[in-house]
Amino acid sequence: MSEVEERKPQEPLHERFVQVLELLQRHRLIEESVARQGSDHQDRVDALVQQQHLAELQQTLAELHPADIAYILEALPLDDRLTVWQLVRVENDGEILLEVSDAVRETLIADMDEHEMIAAAKDLDADELADLAPELPRDVVQGLMESLDDQQREQVRSALSYKDDQVGAIMDFEMVTIREDVTLEVVLRYLRRLKELPDQTDKLFVVDVAGLLKGVLPIKRLLVNDPDCMVHEVMATDPVTFSPDEDGSYAAQAFERYDLVSAPVVEKSGRLLGRLTVDEMVDLIREESESEALNRAGLREEEDIFASVWKSLQNRWAWLAINLITAFVASRVIGLFEHSIEKLVALAALMPIVAGIGGNSGNQTITMIVRAMALDQLSTGNSSRLLRKELGVAFINGVIWGGVIGLVAWLLYDSWSLGLVMTAAMTLNLLLAALMGVLIPMTMVRLGRDPALGSSVLITAMTDSGGFFIFLGLATIFLL
């Protein structure tokens, strides 16, 4: 039975979270009572708190998986978070620090002393320690490195030498290697002597005396073939492999494409360095998805929902400032046509429709383009064709839905010419939205930036200003 199954709570996680909140609330009420009553009842009430609510809370936390505790910590305000953090079992600290978001991890580490940090990290695997090391003080990292053996120390240094988004930074060093010149029976006896297999072990890695990868032996082949067969007779000699300097997102795509559970990471020389596992790929995909969603909204980094006002302000102000500038530009576009709006008040009621539909269409286009880029499906050879396709979709949508709103405008204001202007403006703004939806992410990539960065803000700015200008301009020319 796995560790997750052993610690699986009998109640849904949300119910456990509510239970934790109730216990924290009782704890606060008693603390407030102590403050009001003075020192006469201090000892008695303190003992009651320790024996009842905090003990019950500690027992509740002990029954949860570290990932579930991480979820609860992220959902608590800072004071309650630190109270719960002090009640977590020490042996779970390292796993929890790996599970929480970067912003929350910062608050937890700030509450720990050097000895607590070392105790939390000392039992982590080399790849996990490499993930946590950048967040720890230099003295703590140095102390941890000195406590490792030569092999572990080299593994940590190897993982730290790569960028966060490279395969080398997320590979796992826990794997089982075997030789090709032994029988399957020998391999089976070797496996039985191991205390346990590394998580996500679906294959064994076949190497020679120099550590060069010769192939992989899937566990299912090991189990169904004759024990007297040699490893080289049944192993797969052409496994999917990755280089440590490859982009992690490409590896994640390969895992999805080939339904991989694990895969070897090798140097150019063919020497086996480590492996990638599906759980690491799931974490990477989730992190990239969250990062893309944040970038699209113009947020610079993941934010602790209970962060201080100042920190939240620092994270959000940049794109809000850009949005303010673009909104001002849109207002000035409207200002150019003040006389037109005064003469035909219907324009003021109809122009938000043109801008709003254009913004929605542009966001649809930009989402498709960013996804295509993430999957490496967009290149210089097909970008022009994709642009023509998006313009075609925008034109047809503009004619159809512009015609519908044009008909409504005709019926409401008894002006067929206003209806035609509405249809034309809708069509032109959707074409503009499609054009910008393709060009904005492509331009971001050319500038070396994330194509999703501020995309929602930029496309809305373009379709607002463009939509107002097109609609009011056409109305000025043909209606007044």
Side-chain angles (χ1 to χ4, degrees):
M1 182 179 291
S2 69
E3 184 179 7
V4 175
E5 291 172 332
E6 289 175 352
R7 298 184 183 179
K8 184 178 179 180
Q10 298 301 313
E11 306 171 36
L13 179 57
H14 179 70
E15 293 183 14
R16 289 299 184 102
F17 175 54
V18 172
Q19 183 180 357
V20 169
L21 288 178
E22 291 176 351
L23 291 170
L24 286 170
Q25 185 176 10
R26 295 176 195 170
H27 172 63
R28 285 195 301 270
L29 288 174
I30 293 181
E31 281 189 329
E32 293 172 0
S33 175
V34 170
R36 289 195 300 269
Q37 293 177 17
S39 60
D40 293 341
H41 304 281
Q42 182 75 43
D43 293 340
R44 181 170 56 85
V45 175
D46 280 350
L48 181 64
V49 171
Q50 293 296 327
Q51 294 174 5
Q52 293 182 356
H53 304 315
L54 292 184
E56 186 178 349
L57 178 55
Q58 192 169 29
Q59 178 60 35
T60 299
L61 295 172
E63 297 171 359
L64 294 176
H65 187 274
D68 296 335
I69 299 176
Y71 165 83
I72 291 174
L73 289 171
E74 290 181 349
L76 292 174
L78 182 58
D79 291 343
D80 289 341
R81 178 185 301 160
L82 296 181
T83 298
V84 170
W85 179 236
Q86 293 299 325
L87 298 175
V88 172
R89 293 191 302 190
V90 175
E91 59 266 28
N92 290 338
D93 284 356
E95 295 181 66
I96 295 172
L97 287 174
L98 290 171
E99 293 288 346
V100 295
S101 65
D102 292 345
V104 172
R105 184 185 302 131
E106 182 181 339
T107 65
L108 299 180
I109 290 178
D111 189 57
M112 302 171 70
D113 60 33
E114 184 174 325
H115 297 294
E116 289 174 325
M117 295 180 199
I118 292 176
K122 66 178 182 179
D123 294 327
L124 297 178
D125 295 333
D127 58 308
E128 295 173 331
L129 183 55
D131 288 340
L132 192 59
E135 310 292 333
L136 299 175
R138 181 175 298 180
D139 293 342
V140 173
V141 175
Q142 185 174 353
L144 287 170
M145 293 292 284
E146 292 174 354
S147 68
L148 302 176
D149 58 39
D150 292 340
Q151 182 182 18
Q152 291 176 317
R153 193 179 300 116
E154 181 59 31
Q155 289 173 347
V156 174
R157 287 172 178 165
S158 175
L160 290 173
S161 67
Y162 297 99
K163 297 179 181 178
D164 290 342
D165 58 353
Q166 289 184 314
V167 166
I170 56 178
M171 65 181 175
D172 179 6
F173 299 101
E174 297 295 319
M175 55 189 172
V176 179
T177 59
I178 57 175
R179 298 282 295 277
E180 63 178 333
D181 56 353
V182 297
T183 64
L184 299 186
E185 176 62 30
V186 172
V187 174
L188 287 169
R189 288 203 305 268
Y190 169 65
L191 294 181
R192 292 189 191 102
R193 289 201 302 269
L194 300 176
K195 294 181 179 179
E196 60 180 358
L197 291 177
D199 294 337
Q200 315 301 332
T201 297
D202 69 319
K203 59 177 66 76
L204 310 179
F205 301 99
V206 184
V207 297
D208 62 14
V209 292
L212 301 180
L213 182 70
K214 308 301 291 184
V216 297
L217 177 62
I219 294 294
K220 59 184 179 182
R221 294 193 188 184
L222 173 64
L223 296 177
V224 302
N225 279 282
D226 188 333
D228 293 329
C229 289
M230 303 295 290
V231 169
H232 68 81
E233 294 175 347
V234 296
M235 72 180 187
T237 57
D238 57 346
V240 177
T241 62
F242 299 97
S243 170
D245 54 4
E246 280 188 90
D247 193 314
S249 61
Y250 294 145
Q253 293 169 27
F255 264 69
E256 186 274 333
R257 187 181 306 119
Y258 302 121
D259 296 326
L260 300 175
V261 175
S262 66
V265 179
V266 297
E267 289 181 326
K268 292 181 180 179
S269 64
R271 187 171 70 90
L272 180 66
L273 293 179
R275 65 169 186 157
L276 292 179
T277 58
V278 66
D279 56 339
E280 294 161 347
M281 295 298 98
V282 170
D283 289 342
L284 178 65
I285 292 170
R286 175 184 57 81
E287 290 170 3
E288 289 189 341
S289 177
E290 292 175 352
S291 177
E292 182 178 316
L294 292 171
N295 284 337
R296 193 179 297 119
L299 294 174
R300 295 186 297 175
E301 59 185 21
E302 187 178 7
E303 183 179 306
D304 178 1
I305 58 174
F306 294 106
S308 67
V309 172
W310 175 243
K311 280 195 173 183
S312 296
L313 183 63
Q314 287 178 309
N315 191 32
R316 304 182 193 185
W317 74 268
W319 282 94
L320 288 178
I322 294 174
N323 201 10
L324 177 62
I325 295 172
T326 58
F328 179 76
V329 171
S331 71
R332 296 316 305 150
V333 170
I334 296 173
L336 295 175
F337 300 95
E338 286 181 357
H339 297 298
S340 301
I341 296 174
E342 289 175 358
K343 294 180 181 178
L344 189 57
V345 179
L347 299 179
L350 295 174
M351 64 182 184
I353 299 176
V354 177
I357 297 298
N360 185 49
S361 177
N363 274 307
Q364 290 177 342
T365 299
I366 214 166
T367 299
M368 294 297 296
I369 299 301
V370 169
R371 178 181 178 276
M373 287 180 168
L375 296 176
D376 203 27
Q377 296 174 340
L378 190 61
S379 65
T380 54
N382 60 16
S383 57
S384 59
R385 184 171 182 175
L386 181 59
L387 177 59
R388 291 195 298 271
K389 175 254 184 180
E390 290 298 326
L391 290 174
V393 172
F395 178 76
I396 294 173
N397 275 330
V399 171
I400 294 175
W401 299 111
V404 170
I405 195 62
L407 179 62
V408 172
W410 180 8
L411 296 175
L412 285 176
Y413 299 101
D414 194 25
S415 172
W416 62 269
S417 56
L418 178 59
L420 288 178
V421 165
M422 192 71 182
T423 301
M426 182 77 76
T427 302
L428 290 174
N429 198 32
L430 288 184
L431 288 171
L432 174 65
L435 179 64
M436 292 297 103
V438 174
L439 293 183
I440 287 175
M442 291 180 67
T443 302
M444 286 290 191
V445 170
R446 285 182 176 273
L447 295 175
R449 309 297 296 274
D450 187 331
L453 184 62
S455 58
S456 179
V457 177
L458 294 175
I459 196 68
T460 300
M462 297 300 299
T463 53
D464 280 358
S465 300
F468 293 151
F469 184 81
I470 292 169
F471 178 58
L472 296 176
L474 291 175
T476 301
I477 295 172
F478 295 106
L479 301 180
L480 301 176

